[in-house]
Amino acid sequence: MSYKNLLVDKKDGYAVVTVSRPQVLNALNKRTVAEILQCFDELASDKNVKAVIVTGSGDKSFVAGADISELNAADREGGLEITRNGQAAFGKIEALPKPVIAAVNGYALGGGCELAMACDIRIASEKAKFGQPEVTLGLIPGYGGTQRLSRLVGKGKAKELILTGEVIDAQEALRIGLVERVVPHEKLMSEVKALAAKLADLGPIALRLAKNSIDTGFDMPMAEALKVESERFGEVCDTEDKNEGTKAFLEKRKPQFKGK
């Protein structure tokens, strides 16, 4: 499918999804959110795509936030529609049965920060900026920010960032656990693509079940979470990929995973 506000490039077993509205720093309007939902629905069923990169077009912004003109016009019902659509789209990213990497190349504010948090791994350019500044507009985060941020950095730090609307740099984001890695700006995409290619070379069933086990068990008591892990472990042991991976290790060769 072709998109108006997204660019999708597939190669080497992974896809690069670029939010492309450079005239407004890639701000998320209703159409862009709908396209994200549709795009990730399609990527979920594409067997040739084993990992996904999400980034923003241009050299300044990942996603600078939501479309303020749409928010300005929204009443209660309109606001509910906006937040539910955004949560559905970002939930689709979070639930994708494949690893998703955010390549944060610039401003990741409001909905942009929430988009990055919906991904599995966040790698930031040294020029990146993060924040949930919605309160400075008389709003609150609505695409999952109040929930995902606290799970990533802790309740107290999440409250500090959300209640003040403070914008932080990439090194502070790394320090508090909001991102996993900070790299030189000019090396961002090469490092992220290298990681995506590495993931695409691994067994897709193992990646899917490992991601599912982490996400499913995260909010469970330990005993219940360990049961989830055991079930996923048993499931992966019944695959051809497990047999190939363990056999290749014993034979000292590179495994050839088939996703079966």
Side-chain angles (χ1 to χ4, degrees), residues 19-28 56-57 60-65 107:
V19 180
S20 184
R21 297 185 74 216
Q23 69 279 11
V24 288
L25 297 179
N26 306 322
L28 299 172
S57 66
K60 289 185 64 177
S61 181
F62 175 69
V63 167
Y107 292 111

Side-chain angles (χ1 to χ4, degrees), residues 193-236:
K193 288 179 178 179
L195 175 56
K198 179 179 181 179
L199 292 169
D201 204 34
L202 298 171
I205 299 176
L207 292 178
R208 171 173 60 84
L209 293 176
K211 175 176 174 174
N212 177 269
S213 182
I214 294 168
D215 288 341
T216 302
F218 188 77
D219 292 318
M220 289 181 172
M222 180 61 74
E224 293 180 29
L226 288 173
K227 289 180 182 178
V228 171
E229 181 181 88
S230 293
E231 290 169 0
R232 302 298 180 270
F233 188 86
E235 187 175 346
V236 80

Side-chain angles (χ1 to χ4, degrees), residues 230-251:
S230 293
E231 290 169 0
R232 302 298 180 270
F233 188 86
E235 187 175 346
V236 80
C237 280
D238 201 29
T239 66
E240 293 180 20
D241 275 1
K242 184 274 297 183
N243 294 337
E244 166 62 11
T246 53
K247 184 179 180 182
F249 177 84
L250 295 172
E251 295 176 353

Side-chain angles (χ1 to χ4, degrees), residues 144-157:
T146 63
Q147 303 307 308
R148 291 193 179 97
L149 187 58
S150 59
R151 285 163 170 77
L152 284 169
V153 306
K155 186 186 289 187
K157 179 56 70 173

